[in-house]
Amino acid sequence: MSEPRSARPQVFPDLLIDLILVFAFVLIGRRSHDETFDIAGTWQTAWPFFAALLLGWLVTRAWRSPDRIWPTGVLIWLVTVAGGMALRAISGQGTDIAFVIVATLTLGAFLIGWRLLGVWIERILQKRRDKKLAAEEAAVVNAAAQAKAKAELNRPDPNRRTPGL
């Protein structure tokens, strides 16, 4: 679907974005249930999703193209949701169907969304680069045409007779 934005991907920033977005999902969820912010409670909610996210990175070998939407982003999203829910169930945390739906949609929007945004921004930047290159090429062609026209003006007319000949 999308191509990697660089020949050598910068893995750490992309992993950090994923981790921050999963953490944001956890904070938003806890806040929506009027739970106070405490380290232990937040960690208890977050660790299954962090572990599943890292598993998703390993399964997809995301370090090779971490910003690709397909398959990297989609598979990371699906592994994060499924693995996070499995780990929550194993650890005795809730996996109510409404929570599964909200988690699937929210994590999809987050984990796929930033990658889509990156593709969109890259396309805009590429169009700007192409437009600038086309303008530079047009300027070179125009300068060459102007130089040729100027040379034509300075060249003596071969049909004009020189006095005394």
Side-chain angles (χ1 to χ4, degrees):
M1 223 173 186
S2 68
E3 292 302 316
R5 289 190 293 271
S6 64
R8 184 177 174 154
Q10 298 295 318
V11 174
F12 182 73
D14 292 343
L15 176 59
L16 188 60
I17 290 169
D18 279 349
L19 288 168
I20 289 169
L21 290 172
V22 168
F23 189 62
F25 159 72
V26 168
L27 292 178
I28 291 167
R30 290 181 59 82
R31 179 72 178 124
S32 70
H33 292 285
D34 294 324
E35 296 179 24
T36 59
F37 179 80
D38 67 280
I39 301 294
T42 302
W43 176 250
Q44 180 181 352
T45 305
W47 79 262
F49 294 103
F50 285 152
L53 174 71
L54 295 176
L55 177 64
W57 268 70
L58 289 173
V59 166
T60 62
R61 296 186 222 176
W63 54 87
R64 296 188 308 181
S65 55
D67 55 355
R68 286 190 68 152
I69 297 166
W70 176 259
T72 308
V74 172
L75 293 178
I76 286 173
W77 163 48
L78 295 175
V79 170
T80 300
V81 172
M85 292 303 165
L87 290 171
R88 282 181 62 86
I90 291 169
S91 65
Q93 299 182 50
T95 56
D96 184 67
I97 189 67
F99 176 61
V100 173
I101 292 169
V102 169
T104 301
L105 295 175
T106 304
L107 288 171
F110 284 1
L111 298 175
I112 302 298
W114 79 261
R115 289 172 170 89
L116 282 171
L117 183 62
V119 168
W120 180 65
I121 290 170
E122 182 58 34
R123 286 184 182 162
I124 289 171
L125 293 175
Q126 187 60 48
K127 284 181 182 177
R128 287 183 181 171
R129 285 189 295 264
D130 292 346
K131 194 174 187 179
K132 182 179 178 184
L133 182 61
E136 289 171 355
E137 288 173 358
V140 168
V141 169
N142 190 25
Q146 287 178 355
K148 183 178 178 185
K150 187 174 182 180
E152 290 290 329
L153 289 174
N154 292 333
R155 189 172 60 172
D157 185 358
N159 295 324
R160 184 171 176 218
R161 294 188 168 227
T162 311
L165 289 180

